[in-house]
Amino acid sequence: MAPPRITVVMLAYGPEPYLVDAARAVLDSTDVTIELIVVDNGCTGDGIDAVKNLPGVRVLSPEHNTGYAGGCDVGAAEATGDWLAFVNSDAIVAPDALAKITEVATEDDVGAVMASIRLADRPELINTAGNPLHFAGLSWAGGNGEPATAHAHRRSVASLSGCCFVIDRHLWRELDGFAPEYFAYHEDTELSVRLRQRGLRLEYVPDAVVRHHYEFSRNALKLYLVERNRLVTLLTTYQTRTLAVLAPALLLTEAAMLANAVTDGWARHKIRGWRWLWQHRGWVRSRRRQLQAERRVPDGVIADLMTGHLHPTDVSATGLRAFNMLAGAYWALAKPLLKRH
C-alpha cells in the first residue's frame, strides 16, 4: 500500500530562526510522501535561501504579506498531495507525527486531526492538546504547561490548533480554505466550527509529537485581530436563535473585553475592530449566508464541547473569577435552549 501523499504548507515571516529545522523535520517524516510548500510572506532572515534548494521544497513568494490565513490559502492552492498539513515554522515534527495524524484523518466522520503540541524546551509538557472554545468565541491553548501524561489519550476536541494539523485536500477546497479577511488569528477556530457544523469530528492524537518554540505575545495588532476575528466568527457561524439566546452574555463579554482593553491600554484597537465590522458589514452578511447554507448540524449539538468558563494560562485578566461565575451560570441555563434538531 502506497504511503499517504501529504503537502505540508509552512509560512515564513520575519526572522524565522527555526525555519530550517522545521523544514528538515518535515522532510524527514517517515511512512509518508512529503511535498513541502514554504510561503515567503516577508522572511527577513536567511531561512528562505537555506530551504529553497532542499529536495521536495517549493517556495512561493506572494507580492505582499498575505497573513497566516491568506498565506495558507496560497500554499494550499498549489498542493498536489491527497492530504494537506499545516505546520508552523517554529514547530519541529517528530518523524512519525504526520503519518500518525494522517492515519486518524482517514477514519469516517473525521474532519481534521491535530498533533500533541509540546513546549520545545520541555517536551514533557503540553503547549496545547486541543483548544477549548468558550461560547463567546474565546479560545486558548488547552493544557498549556501541564504534563503530557495528563493528555495521553486520543479524544475529540472543540477546536484545533493551527500549529500542526492535517485535513483532506478535497475537503479543504470544498470549504474554500481560510477566509483571507481574517489575515491572522482565530482562523483555525473558525475552521473548527465549520467542520463541526458539518457533523465532522476534530481529533487529538497524543503520540504524534510536535515540539513548538512557543512564545506568547500581546501586542496591539494581535489584540485587534484576535478580538475582531472572534466577533466575525460569532456573527457568521452561529445560528440566529443561538445569537438571540446568548445575546445578554455576549454583550456582557463585550463590556468585559472593553473594560480589560481600557485597563491594559488597547481600547483604541478594540474599538477599531468594531469599526471594521461596520465598514465590512456587507461581507459579514455574505459570509454568514454562505456558512449557514453549508451547515448540517445545529448549534445545540456543537455546544456539547463548548465551555462557559475561561481558563487561559497566559493571561491574568482582572475580574476573571466574577466573569466565569456569571458566564458559567448563564451557559448552564442557555445551553439547553439551543436548537438540537
Side-chain angles (χ1 to χ4, degrees), residues 90 119 127 139-141 144 185 212-219 222-223 226 312-316:
D90 57 357
L119 297 174
N127 176 203
S139 188
W140 58 95
N144 185 39
Y185 304 113
H212 187 203
H213 292 275
Y214 176 72
E215 184 177 347
F216 181 78
S217 63
R218 285 169 64 87
N219 58 68
K222 178 177 180 177
L223 293 168
V226 167
T313 57
D314 293 310
V315 179
S316 56

PDB file of all heavy atoms in Angstrom, residues 90 119 127 139-141 144 185 212-219 222-223 226 312-316:
ATOM      1  N   ASP A  90       7.981  27.365  13.437  1.00  0.00           N
ATOM      2  CA  ASP A  90       8.752  27.198  14.676  1.00  0.00           C
ATOM      3  C   ASP A  90       8.370  25.893  15.377  1.00  0.00           C
ATOM      4  O   ASP A  90       8.562  25.745  16.583  1.00  0.00           O
ATOM      5  CB  ASP A  90       8.555  28.384  15.619  1.00  0.00           C
ATOM      6  CG  ASP A  90       7.096  28.626  15.991  1.00  0.00           C
ATOM      7  OD1 ASP A  90       6.212  27.910  15.469  1.00  0.00           O
ATOM      8  OD2 ASP A  90       6.832  29.529  16.800  1.00  0.00           O
ATOM      9  N   LEU A 119       5.887  21.907  24.480  1.00  0.00           N
ATOM     10  CA  LEU A 119       6.830  23.016  24.614  1.00  0.00           C
ATOM     11  C   LEU A 119       8.208  22.530  24.190  1.00  0.00           C
ATOM     12  O   LEU A 119       8.697  21.503  24.682  1.00  0.00           O
ATOM     13  CB  LEU A 119       6.851  23.519  26.051  1.00  0.00           C
ATOM     14  CG  LEU A 119       5.524  24.112  26.566  1.00  0.00           C
ATOM     15  CD1 LEU A 119       5.627  24.437  28.056  1.00  0.00           C
ATOM     16  CD2 LEU A 119       5.132  25.347  25.777  1.00  0.00           C
ATOM     17  N   ASN A 127       1.983  22.158  25.165  1.00  0.00           N
ATOM     18  CA  ASN A 127       1.690  23.524  24.732  1.00  0.00           C
ATOM     19  C   ASN A 127       0.189  23.635  24.457  1.00  0.00           C
ATOM     20  O   ASN A 127      -0.496  24.508  24.967  1.00  0.00           O
ATOM     21  CB  ASN A 127       2.503  23.895  23.513  1.00  0.00           C
ATOM     22  CG  ASN A 127       2.168  25.259  22.950  1.00  0.00           C
ATOM     23  OD1 ASN A 127       2.415  25.519  21.788  1.00  0.00           O
ATOM     24  ND2 ASN A 127       1.595  26.143  23.750  1.00  0.00           N
ATOM     25  N   SER A 139     -10.930  31.482  22.782  1.00  0.00           N
ATOM     26  CA  SER A 139     -10.237  30.199  22.724  1.00  0.00           C
ATOM     27  C   SER A 139      -8.807  30.394  23.202  1.00  0.00           C
ATOM     28  O   SER A 139      -8.253  31.490  23.122  1.00  0.00           O
ATOM     29  CB  SER A 139     -10.261  29.663  21.291  1.00  0.00           C
ATOM     30  OG  SER A 139      -9.757  28.348  21.224  1.00  0.00           O
ATOM     31  N   TRP A 140      -8.196  29.321  23.686  1.00  0.00           N
ATOM     32  CA  TRP A 140      -6.836  29.414  24.232  1.00  0.00           C
ATOM     33  C   TRP A 140      -6.151  28.064  24.130  1.00  0.00           C
ATOM     34  O   TRP A 140      -6.780  27.049  23.788  1.00  0.00           O
ATOM     35  CB  TRP A 140      -6.874  29.901  25.680  1.00  0.00           C
ATOM     36  CG  TRP A 140      -7.674  29.037  26.611  1.00  0.00           C
ATOM     37  CD1 TRP A 140      -7.216  28.044  27.418  1.00  0.00           C
ATOM     38  CD2 TRP A 140      -9.099  29.093  26.825  1.00  0.00           C
ATOM     39  NE1 TRP A 140      -8.247  27.471  28.125  1.00  0.00           N
ATOM     40  CE2 TRP A 140      -9.411  28.096  27.786  1.00  0.00           C
ATOM     41  CE3 TRP A 140     -10.128  29.893  26.306  1.00  0.00           C
ATOM     42  CZ2 TRP A 140     -10.723  27.881  28.221  1.00  0.00           C
ATOM     43  CZ3 TRP A 140     -11.422  29.661  26.739  1.00  0.00           C
ATOM     44  CH2 TRP A 140     -11.710  28.682  27.692  1.00  0.00           C
ATOM     45  N   ALA A 141      -4.845  28.040  24.427  1.00  0.00           N
ATOM     46  CA  ALA A 141      -4.057  26.811  24.331  1.00  0.00           C
ATOM     47  C   ALA A 141      -4.442  25.871  25.470  1.00  0.00           C
ATOM     48  O   ALA A 141      -4.117  26.117  26.634  1.00  0.00           O
ATOM     49  CB  ALA A 141      -2.564  27.136  24.384  1.00  0.00           C
ATOM     50  N   ASN A 144      -1.872  24.027  28.391  1.00  0.00           N
ATOM     51  CA  ASN A 144      -0.541  24.642  28.319  1.00  0.00           C
ATOM     52  C   ASN A 144       0.190  24.555  29.660  1.00  0.00           C
ATOM     53  O   ASN A 144      -0.327  24.983  30.689  1.00  0.00           O
ATOM     54  CB  ASN A 144      -0.667  26.108  27.902  1.00  0.00           C
ATOM     55  CG  ASN A 144       0.687  26.763  27.697  1.00  0.00           C
ATOM     56  OD1 ASN A 144       1.604  26.156  27.167  1.00  0.00           O
ATOM     57  ND2 ASN A 144       0.805  28.012  28.118  1.00  0.00           N
ATOM     58  N   TYR A 185      -4.936  34.916  13.135  1.00  0.00           N
ATOM     59  CA  TYR A 185      -5.566  34.616  14.414  1.00  0.00           C
ATOM     60  C   TYR A 185      -7.050  34.267  14.256  1.00  0.00           C
ATOM     61  O   TYR A 185      -7.787  34.929  13.534  1.00  0.00           O
ATOM     62  CB  TYR A 185      -5.408  35.758  15.431  1.00  0.00           C
ATOM     63  CG  TYR A 185      -3.981  36.138  15.678  1.00  0.00           C
ATOM     64  CD1 TYR A 185      -3.489  37.381  15.278  1.00  0.00           C
ATOM     65  CD2 TYR A 185      -3.086  35.238  16.269  1.00  0.00           C
ATOM     66  CE1 TYR A 185      -2.155  37.721  15.482  1.00  0.00           C
ATOM     67  CE2 TYR A 185      -1.765  35.581  16.468  1.00  0.00           C
ATOM     68  CZ  TYR A 185      -1.302  36.813  16.066  1.00  0.00           C
ATOM     69  OH  TYR A 185       0.009  37.143  16.254  1.00  0.00           O
ATOM     70  N   HIS A 212       7.111  22.693  19.928  1.00  0.00           N
ATOM     71  CA  HIS A 212       6.795  24.038  19.464  1.00  0.00           C
ATOM     72  C   HIS A 212       7.602  25.077  20.248  1.00  0.00           C
ATOM     73  O   HIS A 212       7.539  25.121  21.476  1.00  0.00           O
ATOM     74  CB  HIS A 212       5.296  24.302  19.654  1.00  0.00           C
ATOM     75  CG  HIS A 212       4.826  25.587  19.057  1.00  0.00           C
ATOM     76  ND1 HIS A 212       3.684  26.237  19.480  1.00  0.00           N
ATOM     77  CD2 HIS A 212       5.344  26.358  18.064  1.00  0.00           C
ATOM     78  CE1 HIS A 212       3.519  27.342  18.773  1.00  0.00           C
ATOM     79  NE2 HIS A 212       4.517  27.437  17.921  1.00  0.00           N
ATOM     80  N   HIS A 213       8.347  25.902  19.524  1.00  0.00           N
ATOM     81  CA  HIS A 213       9.076  27.012  20.161  1.00  0.00           C
ATOM     82  C   HIS A 213       8.074  28.132  20.421  1.00  0.00           C
ATOM     83  O   HIS A 213       8.087  29.184  19.781  1.00  0.00           O
ATOM     84  CB  HIS A 213      10.218  27.479  19.256  1.00  0.00           C
ATOM     85  CG  HIS A 213      11.312  26.476  19.116  1.00  0.00           C
ATOM     86  ND1 HIS A 213      12.340  26.370  20.026  1.00  0.00           N
ATOM     87  CD2 HIS A 213      11.526  25.513  18.180  1.00  0.00           C
ATOM     88  CE1 HIS A 213      13.164  25.398  19.655  1.00  0.00           C
ATOM     89  NE2 HIS A 213      12.693  24.856  18.540  1.00  0.00           N
ATOM     90  N   TYR A 214       7.234  27.877  21.399  1.00  0.00           N
ATOM     91  CA  TYR A 214       6.093  28.736  21.689  1.00  0.00           C
ATOM     92  C   TYR A 214       6.526  29.964  22.472  1.00  0.00           C
ATOM     93  O   TYR A 214       7.275  29.870  23.444  1.00  0.00           O
ATOM     94  CB  TYR A 214       5.080  27.937  22.502  1.00  0.00           C
ATOM     95  CG  TYR A 214       3.867  28.704  22.970  1.00  0.00           C
ATOM     96  CD1 TYR A 214       2.880  29.098  22.076  1.00  0.00           C
ATOM     97  CD2 TYR A 214       3.694  28.996  24.327  1.00  0.00           C
ATOM     98  CE1 TYR A 214       1.750  29.769  22.523  1.00  0.00           C
ATOM     99  CE2 TYR A 214       2.557  29.659  24.776  1.00  0.00           C
ATOM    100  CZ  TYR A 214       1.593  30.045  23.867  1.00  0.00           C
ATOM    101  OH  TYR A 214       0.472  30.711  24.304  1.00  0.00           O
ATOM    102  N   GLU A 215       6.033  31.109  22.034  1.00  0.00           N
ATOM    103  CA  GLU A 215       6.297  32.359  22.756  1.00  0.00           C
ATOM    104  C   GLU A 215       5.028  33.194  22.729  1.00  0.00           C
ATOM    105  O   GLU A 215       4.624  33.701  21.679  1.00  0.00           O
ATOM    106  CB  GLU A 215       7.452  33.131  22.113  1.00  0.00           C
ATOM    107  CG  GLU A 215       7.843  34.386  22.863  1.00  0.00           C
ATOM    108  CD  GLU A 215       9.037  35.104  22.241  1.00  0.00           C
ATOM    109  OE1 GLU A 215       9.706  34.510  21.391  1.00  0.00           O
ATOM    110  OE2 GLU A 215       9.278  36.265  22.627  1.00  0.00           O
ATOM    111  N   PHE A 216       4.388  33.304  23.876  1.00  0.00           N
ATOM    112  CA  PHE A 216       3.152  34.075  23.947  1.00  0.00           C
ATOM    113  C   PHE A 216       3.465  35.561  23.873  1.00  0.00           C
ATOM    114  O   PHE A 216       4.401  36.047  24.509  1.00  0.00           O
ATOM    115  CB  PHE A 216       2.405  33.776  25.248  1.00  0.00           C
ATOM    116  CG  PHE A 216       1.108  34.524  25.371  1.00  0.00           C
ATOM    117  CD1 PHE A 216      -0.012  34.095  24.680  1.00  0.00           C
ATOM    118  CD2 PHE A 216       1.020  35.654  26.151  1.00  0.00           C
ATOM    119  CE1 PHE A 216      -1.223  34.780  24.778  1.00  0.00           C
ATOM    120  CE2 PHE A 216      -0.183  36.357  26.260  1.00  0.00           C
ATOM    121  CZ  PHE A 216      -1.296  35.911  25.566  1.00  0.00           C
ATOM    122  N   SER A 217       2.684  36.277  23.099  1.00  0.00           N
ATOM    123  CA  SER A 217       2.912  37.721  22.964  1.00  0.00           C
ATOM    124  C   SER A 217       1.574  38.447  22.949  1.00  0.00           C
ATOM    125  O   SER A 217       0.566  37.906  22.510  1.00  0.00           O
ATOM    126  CB  SER A 217       3.679  38.031  21.678  1.00  0.00           C
ATOM    127  OG  SER A 217       2.924  37.658  20.536  1.00  0.00           O
ATOM    128  N   ARG A 218       1.596  39.642  23.452  1.00  0.00           N
ATOM    129  CA  ARG A 218       0.434  40.520  23.409  1.00  0.00           C
ATOM    130  C   ARG A 218       0.887  41.854  22.834  1.00  0.00           C
ATOM    131  O   ARG A 218       1.681  42.559  23.443  1.00  0.00           O
ATOM    132  CB  ARG A 218      -0.144  40.728  24.814  1.00  0.00           C
ATOM    133  CG  ARG A 218      -0.907  39.546  25.357  1.00  0.00           C
ATOM    134  CD  ARG A 218      -1.210  39.714  26.837  1.00  0.00           C
ATOM    135  NE  ARG A 218      -2.092  40.846  27.112  1.00  0.00           N
ATOM    136  CZ  ARG A 218      -3.420  40.775  27.097  1.00  0.00           C
ATOM    137  NH1 ARG A 218      -4.015  39.637  26.792  1.00  0.00           N
ATOM    138  NH2 ARG A 218      -4.161  41.826  27.387  1.00  0.00           N
ATOM    139  N   ASN A 219       0.413  42.163  21.640  1.00  0.00           N
ATOM    140  CA  ASN A 219       0.704  43.461  21.050  1.00  0.00           C
ATOM    141  C   ASN A 219      -0.569  44.014  20.432  1.00  0.00           C
ATOM    142  O   ASN A 219      -1.573  43.302  20.293  1.00  0.00           O
ATOM    143  CB  ASN A 219       1.821  43.356  20.006  1.00  0.00           C
ATOM    144  CG  ASN A 219       1.486  42.377  18.892  1.00  0.00           C
ATOM    145  OD1 ASN A 219       0.591  42.618  18.099  1.00  0.00           O
ATOM    146  ND2 ASN A 219       2.205  41.245  18.848  1.00  0.00           N
ATOM    147  N   LYS A 222      -2.059  42.174  17.344  1.00  0.00           N
ATOM    148  CA  LYS A 222      -2.606  40.858  17.683  1.00  0.00           C
ATOM    149  C   LYS A 222      -3.926  40.985  18.430  1.00  0.00           C
ATOM    150  O   LYS A 222      -4.903  40.289  18.112  1.00  0.00           O
ATOM    151  CB  LYS A 222      -1.596  40.065  18.520  1.00  0.00           C
ATOM    152  CG  LYS A 222      -2.121  38.702  18.946  1.00  0.00           C
ATOM    153  CD  LYS A 222      -1.078  37.900  19.710  1.00  0.00           C
ATOM    154  CE  LYS A 222      -1.638  36.539  20.123  1.00  0.00           C
ATOM    155  NZ  LYS A 222      -0.620  35.706  20.808  1.00  0.00           N
ATOM    156  N   LEU A 223      -3.976  41.864  19.431  1.00  0.00           N
ATOM    157  CA  LEU A 223      -5.200  42.031  20.202  1.00  0.00           C
ATOM    158  C   LEU A 223      -6.353  42.505  19.320  1.00  0.00           C
ATOM    159  O   LEU A 223      -7.489  42.048  19.457  1.00  0.00           O
ATOM    160  CB  LEU A 223      -4.951  43.016  21.342  1.00  0.00           C
ATOM    161  CG  LEU A 223      -3.993  42.523  22.429  1.00  0.00           C
ATOM    162  CD1 LEU A 223      -3.591  43.673  23.344  1.00  0.00           C
ATOM    163  CD2 LEU A 223      -4.621  41.394  23.229  1.00  0.00           C
ATOM    164  N   VAL A 226      -7.346  39.389  17.067  1.00  0.00           N
ATOM    165  CA  VAL A 226      -7.994  38.329  17.840  1.00  0.00           C
ATOM    166  C   VAL A 226      -9.430  38.719  18.175  1.00  0.00           C
ATOM    167  O   VAL A 226     -10.371  37.929  17.995  1.00  0.00           O
ATOM    168  CB  VAL A 226      -7.197  38.027  19.123  1.00  0.00           C
ATOM    169  CG1 VAL A 226      -8.017  37.175  20.084  1.00  0.00           C
ATOM    170  CG2 VAL A 226      -5.887  37.319  18.794  1.00  0.00           C
ATOM    171  N   PRO A 312      -7.520  30.570  30.605  1.00  0.00           N
ATOM    172  CA  PRO A 312      -6.267  30.788  29.867  1.00  0.00           C
ATOM    173  C   PRO A 312      -5.081  30.807  30.826  1.00  0.00           C
ATOM    174  O   PRO A 312      -5.150  31.377  31.915  1.00  0.00           O
ATOM    175  CB  PRO A 312      -6.476  32.153  29.211  1.00  0.00           C
ATOM    176  CG  PRO A 312      -7.457  32.850  30.097  1.00  0.00           C
ATOM    177  CD  PRO A 312      -8.350  31.778  30.651  1.00  0.00           C
ATOM    178  N   THR A 313      -3.968  30.195  30.405  1.00  0.00           N
ATOM    179  CA  THR A 313      -2.795  30.125  31.279  1.00  0.00           C
ATOM    180  C   THR A 313      -1.845  31.296  31.064  1.00  0.00           C
ATOM    181  O   THR A 313      -0.986  31.549  31.901  1.00  0.00           O
ATOM    182  CB  THR A 313      -2.035  28.820  31.036  1.00  0.00           C
ATOM    183  OG1 THR A 313      -1.676  28.733  29.650  1.00  0.00           O
ATOM    184  CG2 THR A 313      -2.896  27.620  31.394  1.00  0.00           C
ATOM    185  N   ASP A 314      -1.988  32.003  29.934  1.00  0.00           N
ATOM    186  CA  ASP A 314      -1.035  33.062  29.606  1.00  0.00           C
ATOM    187  C   ASP A 314      -1.529  34.453  29.974  1.00  0.00           C
ATOM    188  O   ASP A 314      -0.798  35.425  29.846  1.00  0.00           O
ATOM    189  CB  ASP A 314      -0.722  33.050  28.101  1.00  0.00           C
ATOM    190  CG  ASP A 314       0.024  31.797  27.684  1.00  0.00           C
ATOM    191  OD1 ASP A 314       1.024  31.475  28.336  1.00  0.00           O
ATOM    192  OD2 ASP A 314      -0.411  31.143  26.727  1.00  0.00           O
ATOM    193  N   VAL A 315      -2.784  34.550  30.401  1.00  0.00           N
ATOM    194  CA  VAL A 315      -3.388  35.862  30.611  1.00  0.00           C
ATOM    195  C   VAL A 315      -3.993  35.918  32.009  1.00  0.00           C
ATOM    196  O   VAL A 315      -4.691  35.002  32.432  1.00  0.00           O
ATOM    197  CB  VAL A 315      -4.493  36.141  29.568  1.00  0.00           C
ATOM    198  CG1 VAL A 315      -5.119  37.502  29.817  1.00  0.00           C
ATOM    199  CG2 VAL A 315      -3.920  36.050  28.157  1.00  0.00           C
ATOM    200  N   SER A 316      -3.717  36.982  32.710  1.00  0.00           N
ATOM    201  CA  SER A 316      -4.362  37.208  34.001  1.00  0.00           C
ATOM    202  C   SER A 316      -5.273  38.419  33.859  1.00  0.00           C
ATOM    203  O   SER A 316      -4.837  39.555  33.940  1.00  0.00           O
ATOM    204  CB  SER A 316      -3.311  37.461  35.095  1.00  0.00           C
ATOM    205  OG  SER A 316      -2.484  38.546  34.744  1.00  0.00           O
TER     206      SER A 316
END
